[in-house]
Amino acid sequence: EAAVESGSARTELDTQEYVERLEARLGKSREMMRVVLNKAKSDPKVVALAEGTDEKMIRAAYQLEEQGIARPVLIGREERIQRTAQRLGLEFEPSIADPRNGDWEHYADRLYELRQRKGLTRSEAGELIRRDSNYFASVMVEEGDADAMLTGLTHHYPSALRPPLQVIGTAEDADYAAGVYLLTFRNRVIFAADTTVNLDPTSEVLAEITKHTAELARSFNVEPTAALLSYSNFGSVDNEGTRKPREAVRMLHDDPAVDFPVDGEMQADTAVVEDILEGTYDFSELDDPANVLVFPNLEAGNIGYKLLQRLGGAEAIGPMLVGMAKPVHVLQRGDEVKDIVNLAGVAVVDAQNE
Ligand code: ACO
C-alpha cells in the first residue's frame, strides 16, 4: 500500500512538474511572440494570404484584422471566401483579391516582364496569375500592393516556395533564402537554420545563413550567439563535410560586419552545454551556449528541429524565411491558425523594417 501511495504521490508530483514546465515553456514562447505581435500592431502592414479560400486562412485573416496585427488580403474566389466566412460565423468584411475577375491583367504583364527570358510566354503568365495564387501573391508583393505574403498551407513546400523565389527573389545583401525555426524551451530559445530550403549549402551559403539568422534573432530581441554544427569539434575530424562549416566560420570571423560571437565547427552538445564550452573548448569564441544553430545541410536541419520539437518538447515558431527581398513565409501543410497569425506578425515586423 505504501508503495502504491508513494507511486501515486510521485505521479501527482510528476504531473505538477510537467504542467509547470509546460506553462514555463509556453510562457517563453508567448512572451517572444508578444514582443513581435505588439511591434506588428504599432504599424500593421498588408499581408497577402495566397490560400485565401482555405478555412484556416480565413479564420487567421479575421484574427489578424480583429487584433490589428496586419491588414490581410485573402486571394481567391470572392463568393467562396464570403460564403466560408459566413458559414464560420466570422463577422467581418474581408479584403479579397480575386484573380479571376479580370482586373489583374497588369499582374500577368508584370510576371511576363520578369520571366520572359526564363521561358515564360505571355499566355502562360496569364494562366499562372489566374490559376496559381502563389504567383498572384508574389506579383502583388513585388508590385508593392502588399507588403508581405504567406502561403504553403495547401501546397507542397517546394511548389509554394518556387513562385516567390522566382518573382520576389532575394534581398540585396543575400543570394540565398533559408528557413528558420524559433524553438522555445523552458529557459532558453534556439534559432535553428536552415531547416527548409538549401539541400547542401556551401561554406558561403552557411556563412550567409548564419548572418541572416542572427539578424532574425535580434528582431525577437535576442542577442545572437551562433554555432556552426557538425559531427566534429574544431577539426577533430577533417574531411570535405567538416571543412564546410569550419570554412564558413573563417569567413564570418574575417567579416567586419559580423558583430556577434560565432564559432565552429562543433558538435551539437558542445554548442548548447556550457560546461563543454568552458572546459574542453575554452578557447572557443562562445562564452555562452549558442542560441543560433546552423546545421550543415538540410537533412540535419530538418531532422534536428523536428526532434527538438517532438522529443525535446520545444514550442516551434516557423519556418521563417530569411534572405528574401520582401517578407515571405511558407507555412507547412497542417499548420494551425495560431501558426498563421504568428508568422503574419513576423512578416509585418519584417515589413516595418524595410
Ligand atoms: N535561395 C534563393 N533563391 C533560390 C534558391 C535559394 N536557396 N534556390 C533556388 N532559387 C531560385 C533560383 O535562382 C531560381 O530563380 P530564377 O528562376 O529566377 O533563376 C528559382 O529559385 C527557381 O530555381 P530552380 O533551380 O528552378 O528551383 P529548384 O527546383 O532548385 O527549387 C527549391 C528551389 C524549391 C528551394 C529547392 O531547392 C527545394 O526543393 N528545396 C527543398 C525544399 C524542401 O523540400 N524542404 C524540406 C521540407 S519542407 C518542411 O519541412 C517545411
Side-chain angles (χ1 to χ4, degrees), residues 115 118 157-159 161-162 165-167 169-170 175-178 181 195-199 298 302 305-306 319 324 330-332:
R115 304 296 300 172
K118 296 276 181 181
Y157 193 86
S159 53
L161 178 58
R162 211 169 276 114
L165 288 180
Q166 290 176 345
V167 173
T170 51
D175 291 316
Y176 296 90
Y181 267 94
T195 58
T196 59
V197 182
N198 300 280
L199 302 177
L298 192 57
N302 194 273
Y305 101 77
K306 287 190 185 212
M324 295 295 287
V330 179
L331 296 143
Q332 297 205 63

PDB file of all heavy atoms in Angstrom, residues 115 118 157-159 161-162 165-167 169-170 175-178 181 195-199 298 302 305-306 319 324 330-332, ligand 1:
ATOM      1  N   ARG A 115       9.684  37.198 -66.264  1.00  0.00           N
ATOM      2  CA  ARG A 115      10.059  35.807 -66.567  1.00  0.00           C
ATOM      3  C   ARG A 115      10.169  35.492 -68.052  1.00  0.00           C
ATOM      4  O   ARG A 115      10.362  34.338 -68.418  1.00  0.00           O
ATOM      5  CB  ARG A 115       9.042  34.841 -65.926  1.00  0.00           C
ATOM      6  CG  ARG A 115       8.848  34.995 -64.439  1.00  0.00           C
ATOM      7  CD  ARG A 115      10.060  34.688 -63.606  1.00  0.00           C
ATOM      8  NE  ARG A 115      10.555  33.335 -63.746  1.00  0.00           N
ATOM      9  CZ  ARG A 115      11.701  32.900 -63.218  1.00  0.00           C
ATOM     10  NH1 ARG A 115      12.475  33.712 -62.522  1.00  0.00           N
ATOM     11  NH2 ARG A 115      12.093  31.660 -63.407  1.00  0.00           N
ATOM     12  N   LYS A 118      13.054  33.667 -69.057  1.00  0.00           N
ATOM     13  CA  LYS A 118      13.177  32.373 -68.371  1.00  0.00           C
ATOM     14  C   LYS A 118      12.216  31.389 -69.015  1.00  0.00           C
ATOM     15  O   LYS A 118      11.770  30.420 -68.398  1.00  0.00           O
ATOM     16  CB  LYS A 118      12.839  32.525 -66.880  1.00  0.00           C
ATOM     17  CG  LYS A 118      13.789  33.431 -66.119  1.00  0.00           C
ATOM     18  CD  LYS A 118      15.033  32.698 -65.674  1.00  0.00           C
ATOM     19  CE  LYS A 118      15.960  33.621 -64.891  1.00  0.00           C
ATOM     20  NZ  LYS A 118      17.183  32.924 -64.479  1.00  0.00           N
ATOM     21  N   TYR A 157       5.748  22.170 -49.932  1.00  0.00           N
ATOM     22  CA  TYR A 157       6.640  23.295 -49.616  1.00  0.00           C
ATOM     23  C   TYR A 157       7.411  23.802 -50.843  1.00  0.00           C
ATOM     24  O   TYR A 157       7.369  25.005 -51.132  1.00  0.00           O
ATOM     25  CB  TYR A 157       7.592  22.863 -48.484  1.00  0.00           C
ATOM     26  CG  TYR A 157       8.347  24.001 -47.858  1.00  0.00           C
ATOM     27  CD1 TYR A 157       7.798  24.754 -46.823  1.00  0.00           C
ATOM     28  CD2 TYR A 157       9.616  24.331 -48.299  1.00  0.00           C
ATOM     29  CE1 TYR A 157       8.487  25.799 -46.251  1.00  0.00           C
ATOM     30  CE2 TYR A 157      10.308  25.382 -47.733  1.00  0.00           C
ATOM     31  CZ  TYR A 157       9.744  26.112 -46.709  1.00  0.00           C
ATOM     32  OH  TYR A 157      10.438  27.160 -46.153  1.00  0.00           O
ATOM     33  N   PRO A 158       8.094  22.931 -51.614  1.00  0.00           N
ATOM     34  CA  PRO A 158       8.863  23.465 -52.760  1.00  0.00           C
ATOM     35  C   PRO A 158       7.985  24.178 -53.787  1.00  0.00           C
ATOM     36  O   PRO A 158       8.396  25.210 -54.324  1.00  0.00           O
ATOM     37  CB  PRO A 158       9.506  22.217 -53.382  1.00  0.00           C
ATOM     38  CG  PRO A 158       9.537  21.216 -52.281  1.00  0.00           C
ATOM     39  CD  PRO A 158       8.319  21.484 -51.448  1.00  0.00           C
ATOM     40  N   SER A 159       6.755  23.689 -54.026  1.00  0.00           N
ATOM     41  CA  SER A 159       5.959  24.362 -55.064  1.00  0.00           C
ATOM     42  C   SER A 159       5.378  25.683 -54.558  1.00  0.00           C
ATOM     43  O   SER A 159       5.089  26.577 -55.353  1.00  0.00           O
ATOM     44  CB  SER A 159       4.881  23.448 -55.654  1.00  0.00           C
ATOM     45  OG  SER A 159       4.109  22.911 -54.629  1.00  0.00           O
ATOM     46  N   LEU A 161       7.165  27.573 -52.506  1.00  0.00           N
ATOM     47  CA  LEU A 161       8.356  28.429 -52.362  1.00  0.00           C
ATOM     48  C   LEU A 161       8.872  28.943 -53.710  1.00  0.00           C
ATOM     49  O   LEU A 161       9.370  30.062 -53.805  1.00  0.00           O
ATOM     50  CB  LEU A 161       9.456  27.594 -51.664  1.00  0.00           C
ATOM     51  CG  LEU A 161      10.822  28.216 -51.429  1.00  0.00           C
ATOM     52  CD1 LEU A 161      10.688  29.487 -50.585  1.00  0.00           C
ATOM     53  CD2 LEU A 161      11.743  27.219 -50.709  1.00  0.00           C
ATOM     54  N   ARG A 162       8.731  28.123 -54.759  1.00  0.00           N
ATOM     55  CA  ARG A 162       9.323  28.480 -56.061  1.00  0.00           C
ATOM     56  C   ARG A 162       8.795  29.810 -56.614  1.00  0.00           C
ATOM     57  O   ARG A 162       9.611  30.648 -57.025  1.00  0.00           O
ATOM     58  CB  ARG A 162       9.135  27.326 -57.043  1.00  0.00           C
ATOM     59  CG  ARG A 162      10.258  27.241 -58.062  1.00  0.00           C
ATOM     60  CD  ARG A 162      10.250  25.963 -58.869  1.00  0.00           C
ATOM     61  NE  ARG A 162      10.903  24.844 -58.229  1.00  0.00           N
ATOM     62  CZ  ARG A 162      10.295  23.736 -57.811  1.00  0.00           C
ATOM     63  NH1 ARG A 162       8.999  23.586 -57.967  1.00  0.00           N
ATOM     64  NH2 ARG A 162      10.984  22.775 -57.252  1.00  0.00           N
ATOM     65  N   LEU A 165      10.403  32.766 -54.925  1.00  0.00           N
ATOM     66  CA  LEU A 165      11.834  32.814 -55.258  1.00  0.00           C
ATOM     67  C   LEU A 165      12.021  33.389 -56.659  1.00  0.00           C
ATOM     68  O   LEU A 165      12.921  34.194 -56.910  1.00  0.00           O
ATOM     69  CB  LEU A 165      12.472  31.417 -55.211  1.00  0.00           C
ATOM     70  CG  LEU A 165      12.687  30.763 -53.851  1.00  0.00           C
ATOM     71  CD1 LEU A 165      13.328  29.391 -54.017  1.00  0.00           C
ATOM     72  CD2 LEU A 165      13.539  31.632 -52.931  1.00  0.00           C
ATOM     73  N   GLN A 166      11.131  32.995 -57.583  1.00  0.00           N
ATOM     74  CA  GLN A 166      11.262  33.453 -58.975  1.00  0.00           C
ATOM     75  C   GLN A 166      10.854  34.912 -59.145  1.00  0.00           C
ATOM     76  O   GLN A 166      11.417  35.623 -59.965  1.00  0.00           O
ATOM     77  CB  GLN A 166      10.367  32.599 -59.884  1.00  0.00           C
ATOM     78  CG  GLN A 166      10.856  31.180 -60.048  1.00  0.00           C
ATOM     79  CD  GLN A 166       9.892  30.341 -60.885  1.00  0.00           C
ATOM     80  OE1 GLN A 166       8.747  30.730 -61.107  1.00  0.00           O
ATOM     81  NE2 GLN A 166      10.363  29.197 -61.358  1.00  0.00           N
ATOM     82  N   VAL A 167       9.857  35.354 -58.396  1.00  0.00           N
ATOM     83  CA  VAL A 167       9.272  36.678 -58.647  1.00  0.00           C
ATOM     84  C   VAL A 167       9.834  37.740 -57.695  1.00  0.00           C
ATOM     85  O   VAL A 167      10.182  38.839 -58.114  1.00  0.00           O
ATOM     86  CB  VAL A 167       7.724  36.601 -58.516  1.00  0.00           C
ATOM     87  CG1 VAL A 167       7.098  37.986 -58.591  1.00  0.00           C
ATOM     88  CG2 VAL A 167       7.147  35.688 -59.592  1.00  0.00           C
ATOM     89  N   GLY A 169      12.398  37.141 -55.222  1.00  0.00           N
ATOM     90  CA  GLY A 169      13.851  36.956 -55.158  1.00  0.00           C
ATOM     91  C   GLY A 169      14.465  37.337 -53.827  1.00  0.00           C
ATOM     92  O   GLY A 169      13.749  37.613 -52.849  1.00  0.00           O
ATOM     93  N   THR A 170      15.781  37.350 -53.803  1.00  0.00           N
ATOM     94  CA  THR A 170      16.473  37.576 -52.536  1.00  0.00           C
ATOM     95  C   THR A 170      16.770  39.060 -52.315  1.00  0.00           C
ATOM     96  O   THR A 170      16.742  39.858 -53.252  1.00  0.00           O
ATOM     97  CB  THR A 170      17.794  36.790 -52.500  1.00  0.00           C
ATOM     98  OG1 THR A 170      18.523  37.084 -53.684  1.00  0.00           O
ATOM     99  CG2 THR A 170      17.553  35.303 -52.416  1.00  0.00           C
ATOM    100  N   ASP A 175      22.012  36.090 -51.337  1.00  0.00           N
ATOM    101  CA  ASP A 175      21.875  35.296 -52.558  1.00  0.00           C
ATOM    102  C   ASP A 175      20.982  34.088 -52.313  1.00  0.00           C
ATOM    103  O   ASP A 175      20.539  33.450 -53.262  1.00  0.00           O
ATOM    104  CB  ASP A 175      23.251  34.805 -53.029  1.00  0.00           C
ATOM    105  CG  ASP A 175      24.092  35.964 -53.540  1.00  0.00           C
ATOM    106  OD1 ASP A 175      23.537  36.796 -54.289  1.00  0.00           O
ATOM    107  OD2 ASP A 175      25.275  36.056 -53.172  1.00  0.00           O
ATOM    108  N   TYR A 176      20.766  33.783 -51.053  1.00  0.00           N
ATOM    109  CA  TYR A 176      20.025  32.563 -50.715  1.00  0.00           C
ATOM    110  C   TYR A 176      18.973  32.822 -49.654  1.00  0.00           C
ATOM    111  O   TYR A 176      19.230  33.547 -48.692  1.00  0.00           O
ATOM    112  CB  TYR A 176      20.992  31.485 -50.205  1.00  0.00           C
ATOM    113  CG  TYR A 176      21.947  31.063 -51.271  1.00  0.00           C
ATOM    114  CD1 TYR A 176      23.162  31.716 -51.418  1.00  0.00           C
ATOM    115  CD2 TYR A 176      21.608  30.064 -52.168  1.00  0.00           C
ATOM    116  CE1 TYR A 176      24.042  31.370 -52.435  1.00  0.00           C
ATOM    117  CE2 TYR A 176      22.468  29.713 -53.192  1.00  0.00           C
ATOM    118  CZ  TYR A 176      23.685  30.374 -53.317  1.00  0.00           C
ATOM    119  OH  TYR A 176      24.525  30.038 -54.339  1.00  0.00           O
ATOM    120  N   ALA A 177      17.836  32.185 -49.851  1.00  0.00           N
ATOM    121  CA  ALA A 177      16.824  32.193 -48.806  1.00  0.00           C
ATOM    122  C   ALA A 177      17.080  30.980 -47.912  1.00  0.00           C
ATOM    123  O   ALA A 177      17.699  30.008 -48.340  1.00  0.00           O
ATOM    124  CB  ALA A 177      15.442  32.089 -49.436  1.00  0.00           C
ATOM    125  N   ALA A 178      16.606  31.053 -46.680  1.00  0.00           N
ATOM    126  CA  ALA A 178      16.738  29.897 -45.781  1.00  0.00           C
ATOM    127  C   ALA A 178      15.565  29.900 -44.808  1.00  0.00           C
ATOM    128  O   ALA A 178      14.988  30.948 -44.517  1.00  0.00           O
ATOM    129  CB  ALA A 178      18.050  29.964 -45.013  1.00  0.00           C
ATOM    130  N   TYR A 181      13.569  28.073 -37.802  1.00  0.00           N
ATOM    131  CA  TYR A 181      12.596  27.813 -36.737  1.00  0.00           C
ATOM    132  C   TYR A 181      13.081  28.417 -35.438  1.00  0.00           C
ATOM    133  O   TYR A 181      14.252  28.274 -35.081  1.00  0.00           O
ATOM    134  CB  TYR A 181      12.389  26.309 -36.525  1.00  0.00           C
ATOM    135  CG  TYR A 181      11.240  25.779 -37.330  1.00  0.00           C
ATOM    136  CD1 TYR A 181      11.449  25.235 -38.574  1.00  0.00           C
ATOM    137  CD2 TYR A 181       9.938  25.880 -36.851  1.00  0.00           C
ATOM    138  CE1 TYR A 181      10.391  24.763 -39.334  1.00  0.00           C
ATOM    139  CE2 TYR A 181       8.868  25.416 -37.594  1.00  0.00           C
ATOM    140  CZ  TYR A 181       9.093  24.859 -38.833  1.00  0.00           C
ATOM    141  OH  TYR A 181       8.041  24.416 -39.579  1.00  0.00           O
ATOM    142  N   THR A 195      16.386  24.936 -42.056  1.00  0.00           N
ATOM    143  CA  THR A 195      15.578  23.748 -41.828  1.00  0.00           C
ATOM    144  C   THR A 195      14.687  23.392 -43.017  1.00  0.00           C
ATOM    145  O   THR A 195      14.053  22.339 -43.015  1.00  0.00           O
ATOM    146  CB  THR A 195      14.668  23.954 -40.596  1.00  0.00           C
ATOM    147  OG1 THR A 195      13.867  25.105 -40.840  1.00  0.00           O
ATOM    148  CG2 THR A 195      15.464  24.152 -39.332  1.00  0.00           C
ATOM    149  N   THR A 196      14.633  24.270 -44.028  1.00  0.00           N
ATOM    150  CA  THR A 196      13.649  24.012 -45.096  1.00  0.00           C
ATOM    151  C   THR A 196      14.076  24.281 -46.545  1.00  0.00           C
ATOM    152  O   THR A 196      13.318  23.940 -47.450  1.00  0.00           O
ATOM    153  CB  THR A 196      12.358  24.843 -44.859  1.00  0.00           C
ATOM    154  OG1 THR A 196      12.704  26.212 -44.838  1.00  0.00           O
ATOM    155  CG2 THR A 196      11.645  24.454 -43.589  1.00  0.00           C
ATOM    156  N   VAL A 197      15.189  24.912 -46.814  1.00  0.00           N
ATOM    157  CA  VAL A 197      15.414  25.333 -48.215  1.00  0.00           C
ATOM    158  C   VAL A 197      16.638  24.698 -48.901  1.00  0.00           C
ATOM    159  O   VAL A 197      16.497  23.986 -49.894  1.00  0.00           O
ATOM    160  CB  VAL A 197      15.521  26.876 -48.325  1.00  0.00           C
ATOM    161  CG1 VAL A 197      15.698  27.292 -49.790  1.00  0.00           C
ATOM    162  CG2 VAL A 197      14.294  27.547 -47.733  1.00  0.00           C
ATOM    163  N   ASN A 198      17.835  24.973 -48.408  1.00  0.00           N
ATOM    164  CA  ASN A 198      19.057  24.623 -49.154  1.00  0.00           C
ATOM    165  C   ASN A 198      19.504  23.190 -48.850  1.00  0.00           C
ATOM    166  O   ASN A 198      19.869  22.870 -47.717  1.00  0.00           O
ATOM    167  CB  ASN A 198      20.178  25.603 -48.785  1.00  0.00           C
ATOM    168  CG  ASN A 198      19.794  27.020 -49.129  1.00  0.00           C
ATOM    169  OD1 ASN A 198      19.891  27.428 -50.282  1.00  0.00           O
ATOM    170  ND2 ASN A 198      19.314  27.772 -48.138  1.00  0.00           N
ATOM    171  N   LEU A 199      19.516  22.381 -49.904  1.00  0.00           N
ATOM    172  CA  LEU A 199      19.795  20.956 -49.698  1.00  0.00           C
ATOM    173  C   LEU A 199      21.204  20.732 -49.176  1.00  0.00           C
ATOM    174  O   LEU A 199      21.404  20.044 -48.186  1.00  0.00           O
ATOM    175  CB  LEU A 199      19.611  20.202 -51.020  1.00  0.00           C
ATOM    176  CG  LEU A 199      18.238  20.316 -51.684  1.00  0.00           C
ATOM    177  CD1 LEU A 199      18.218  19.576 -53.011  1.00  0.00           C
ATOM    178  CD2 LEU A 199      17.153  19.776 -50.757  1.00  0.00           C
ATOM    179  N   LEU A 298      20.489  20.223 -45.245  1.00  0.00           N
ATOM    180  CA  LEU A 298      19.042  20.219 -44.992  1.00  0.00           C
ATOM    181  C   LEU A 298      18.570  18.982 -44.227  1.00  0.00           C
ATOM    182  O   LEU A 298      17.653  19.071 -43.411  1.00  0.00           O
ATOM    183  CB  LEU A 298      18.283  20.350 -46.324  1.00  0.00           C
ATOM    184  CG  LEU A 298      16.799  20.656 -46.211  1.00  0.00           C
ATOM    185  CD1 LEU A 298      16.538  21.923 -45.420  1.00  0.00           C
ATOM    186  CD2 LEU A 298      16.174  20.784 -47.593  1.00  0.00           C
ATOM    187  N   ASN A 302      16.489  19.772 -40.917  1.00  0.00           N
ATOM    188  CA  ASN A 302      15.078  19.409 -40.864  1.00  0.00           C
ATOM    189  C   ASN A 302      14.833  18.330 -39.812  1.00  0.00           C
ATOM    190  O   ASN A 302      13.900  18.410 -38.998  1.00  0.00           O
ATOM    191  CB  ASN A 302      14.625  18.960 -42.257  1.00  0.00           C
ATOM    192  CG  ASN A 302      13.120  18.888 -42.362  1.00  0.00           C
ATOM    193  OD1 ASN A 302      12.530  17.863 -42.038  1.00  0.00           O
ATOM    194  ND2 ASN A 302      12.485  19.971 -42.766  1.00  0.00           N
ATOM    195  N   TYR A 305      15.480  19.902 -36.083  1.00  0.00           N
ATOM    196  CA  TYR A 305      14.455  20.740 -35.441  1.00  0.00           C
ATOM    197  C   TYR A 305      13.224  19.908 -35.086  1.00  0.00           C
ATOM    198  O   TYR A 305      12.583  20.135 -34.064  1.00  0.00           O
ATOM    199  CB  TYR A 305      14.130  21.974 -36.310  1.00  0.00           C
ATOM    200  CG  TYR A 305      12.865  21.886 -37.114  1.00  0.00           C
ATOM    201  CD1 TYR A 305      11.607  22.073 -36.521  1.00  0.00           C
ATOM    202  CD2 TYR A 305      12.904  21.618 -38.474  1.00  0.00           C
ATOM    203  CE1 TYR A 305      10.447  21.972 -37.269  1.00  0.00           C
ATOM    204  CE2 TYR A 305      11.747  21.506 -39.224  1.00  0.00           C
ATOM    205  CZ  TYR A 305      10.522  21.680 -38.609  1.00  0.00           C
ATOM    206  OH  TYR A 305       9.376  21.561 -39.333  1.00  0.00           O
ATOM    207  N   LYS A 306      12.917  18.920 -35.931  1.00  0.00           N
ATOM    208  CA  LYS A 306      11.725  18.107 -35.629  1.00  0.00           C
ATOM    209  C   LYS A 306      11.932  17.262 -34.375  1.00  0.00           C
ATOM    210  O   LYS A 306      11.009  17.063 -33.588  1.00  0.00           O
ATOM    211  CB  LYS A 306      11.343  17.238 -36.829  1.00  0.00           C
ATOM    212  CG  LYS A 306      10.735  18.102 -37.925  1.00  0.00           C
ATOM    213  CD  LYS A 306      10.113  17.349 -39.048  1.00  0.00           C
ATOM    214  CE  LYS A 306       9.672  18.378 -40.088  1.00  0.00           C
ATOM    215  NZ  LYS A 306       8.519  18.058 -40.839  1.00  0.00           N
ATOM    216  N   PRO A 319       8.206  27.811 -40.313  1.00  0.00           N
ATOM    217  CA  PRO A 319       9.535  28.284 -40.672  1.00  0.00           C
ATOM    218  C   PRO A 319       9.489  29.733 -41.162  1.00  0.00           C
ATOM    219  O   PRO A 319       8.611  30.093 -41.945  1.00  0.00           O
ATOM    220  CB  PRO A 319       9.924  27.346 -41.818  1.00  0.00           C
ATOM    221  CG  PRO A 319       8.632  26.891 -42.419  1.00  0.00           C
ATOM    222  CD  PRO A 319       7.612  26.929 -41.336  1.00  0.00           C
ATOM    223  N   MET A 324      14.992  36.954 -48.095  1.00  0.00           N
ATOM    224  CA  MET A 324      14.153  37.372 -49.218  1.00  0.00           C
ATOM    225  C   MET A 324      14.126  38.903 -49.337  1.00  0.00           C
ATOM    226  O   MET A 324      14.289  39.623 -48.357  1.00  0.00           O
ATOM    227  CB  MET A 324      12.725  36.857 -49.027  1.00  0.00           C
ATOM    228  CG  MET A 324      12.579  35.357 -49.055  1.00  0.00           C
ATOM    229  SD  MET A 324      12.984  34.627 -50.651  1.00  0.00           S
ATOM    230  CE  MET A 324      11.568  35.106 -51.656  1.00  0.00           C
ATOM    231  N   VAL A 330       6.555  30.618 -45.910  1.00  0.00           N
ATOM    232  CA  VAL A 330       5.894  29.444 -46.464  1.00  0.00           C
ATOM    233  C   VAL A 330       5.592  28.512 -45.292  1.00  0.00           C
ATOM    234  O   VAL A 330       6.498  27.952 -44.678  1.00  0.00           O
ATOM    235  CB  VAL A 330       6.783  28.755 -47.515  1.00  0.00           C
ATOM    236  CG1 VAL A 330       6.089  27.519 -48.079  1.00  0.00           C
ATOM    237  CG2 VAL A 330       7.133  29.733 -48.630  1.00  0.00           C
ATOM    238  N   LEU A 331       4.297  28.387 -45.002  1.00  0.00           N
ATOM    239  CA  LEU A 331       3.874  27.538 -43.876  1.00  0.00           C
ATOM    240  C   LEU A 331       4.010  26.075 -44.255  1.00  0.00           C
ATOM    241  O   LEU A 331       4.236  25.742 -45.415  1.00  0.00           O
ATOM    242  CB  LEU A 331       2.404  27.829 -43.572  1.00  0.00           C
ATOM    243  CG  LEU A 331       2.106  29.237 -43.092  1.00  0.00           C
ATOM    244  CD1 LEU A 331       0.785  29.730 -43.656  1.00  0.00           C
ATOM    245  CD2 LEU A 331       2.085  29.285 -41.582  1.00  0.00           C
ATOM    246  N   GLN A 332       3.820  25.229 -43.272  1.00  0.00           N
ATOM    247  CA  GLN A 332       3.799  23.803 -43.555  1.00  0.00           C
ATOM    248  C   GLN A 332       2.354  23.350 -43.643  1.00  0.00           C
ATOM    249  O   GLN A 332       1.492  23.885 -42.949  1.00  0.00           O
ATOM    250  CB  GLN A 332       4.448  23.045 -42.416  1.00  0.00           C
ATOM    251  CG  GLN A 332       5.867  23.383 -42.241  1.00  0.00           C
ATOM    252  CD  GLN A 332       6.583  22.237 -41.586  1.00  0.00           C
ATOM    253  OE1 GLN A 332       6.665  21.149 -42.128  1.00  0.00           O
ATOM    254  NE2 GLN A 332       7.090  22.474 -40.407  1.00  0.00           N
TER     255      GLN A 332
HETATM  256  N1  ACO B   1      17.635  30.808 -52.353  1.00  0.00           N
HETATM  257  C1  ACO B   1      17.176  31.766 -53.183  1.00  0.00           C
HETATM  258  N2  ACO B   1      16.762  31.519 -54.442  1.00  0.00           N
HETATM  259  C2  ACO B   1      16.814  30.246 -54.865  1.00  0.00           C
HETATM  260  C3  ACO B   1      17.267  29.201 -54.052  1.00  0.00           C
HETATM  261  C4  ACO B   1      17.697  29.525 -52.740  1.00  0.00           C
HETATM  262  N3  ACO B   1      18.147  28.613 -51.899  1.00  0.00           N
HETATM  263  N4  ACO B   1      17.189  28.053 -54.750  1.00  0.00           N
HETATM  264  C5  ACO B   1      16.698  28.363 -55.967  1.00  0.00           C
HETATM  265  N5  ACO B   1      16.475  29.685 -56.030  1.00  0.00           N
HETATM  266  C6  ACO B   1      15.912  30.447 -57.149  1.00  0.00           C
HETATM  267  C7  ACO B   1      16.681  30.171 -58.406  1.00  0.00           C
HETATM  268  O1  ACO B   1      17.714  31.111 -58.554  1.00  0.00           O
HETATM  269  C8  ACO B   1      15.618  30.327 -59.455  1.00  0.00           C
HETATM  270  O2  ACO B   1      15.462  31.662 -59.816  1.00  0.00           O
HETATM  271  P1  ACO B   1      15.400  32.066 -61.371  1.00  0.00           P
HETATM  272  O3  ACO B   1      14.408  31.146 -61.989  1.00  0.00           O
HETATM  273  O4  ACO B   1      14.959  33.493 -61.330  1.00  0.00           O
HETATM  274  O5  ACO B   1      16.761  31.869 -61.913  1.00  0.00           O
HETATM  275  C9  ACO B   1      14.331  29.924 -58.752  1.00  0.00           C
HETATM  276  O6  ACO B   1      14.608  29.968 -57.360  1.00  0.00           O
HETATM  277  C10 ACO B   1      13.890  28.533 -59.096  1.00  0.00           C
HETATM  278  O7  ACO B   1      15.037  27.736 -59.061  1.00  0.00           O
HETATM  279  P2  ACO B   1      15.079  26.282 -59.587  1.00  0.00           P
HETATM  280  O8  ACO B   1      16.502  25.869 -59.673  1.00  0.00           O
HETATM  281  O9  ACO B   1      14.216  26.141 -60.785  1.00  0.00           O
HETATM  282  O10 ACO B   1      14.306  25.620 -58.433  1.00  0.00           O
HETATM  283  P3  ACO B   1      14.615  24.346 -57.704  1.00  0.00           P
HETATM  284  O11 ACO B   1      13.904  23.298 -58.434  1.00  0.00           O
HETATM  285  O12 ACO B   1      16.041  24.183 -57.360  1.00  0.00           O
HETATM  286  O13 ACO B   1      13.813  24.689 -56.384  1.00  0.00           O
HETATM  287  C11 ACO B   1      13.811  24.920 -54.090  1.00  0.00           C
HETATM  288  C12 ACO B   1      14.292  25.508 -55.387  1.00  0.00           C
HETATM  289  C13 ACO B   1      12.306  24.792 -54.160  1.00  0.00           C
HETATM  290  C14 ACO B   1      14.166  25.836 -52.953  1.00  0.00           C
HETATM  291  C15 ACO B   1      14.502  23.529 -53.899  1.00  0.00           C
HETATM  292  O14 ACO B   1      15.835  23.747 -53.611  1.00  0.00           O
HETATM  293  C16 ACO B   1      13.899  22.663 -52.860  1.00  0.00           C
HETATM  294  O15 ACO B   1      13.001  21.888 -53.159  1.00  0.00           O
HETATM  295  N6  ACO B   1      14.396  22.720 -51.601  1.00  0.00           N
HETATM  296  C17 ACO B   1      13.992  21.851 -50.538  1.00  0.00           C
HETATM  297  C18 ACO B   1      12.589  22.173 -50.056  1.00  0.00           C
HETATM  298  C19 ACO B   1      12.124  21.086 -49.128  1.00  0.00           C
HETATM  299  O16 ACO B   1      11.741  20.026 -49.570  1.00  0.00           O
HETATM  300  N7  ACO B   1      12.196  21.386 -47.822  1.00  0.00           N
HETATM  301  C20 ACO B   1      12.079  20.463 -46.765  1.00  0.00           C
HETATM  302  C21 ACO B   1      10.711  20.059 -46.405  1.00  0.00           C
HETATM  303  S1  ACO B   1       9.716  21.391 -46.073  1.00  0.00           S
HETATM  304  C22 ACO B   1       9.313  21.410 -44.443  1.00  0.00           C
HETATM  305  O17 ACO B   1       9.669  20.645 -43.641  1.00  0.00           O
HETATM  306  C23 ACO B   1       8.555  22.621 -44.156  1.00  0.00           C
END
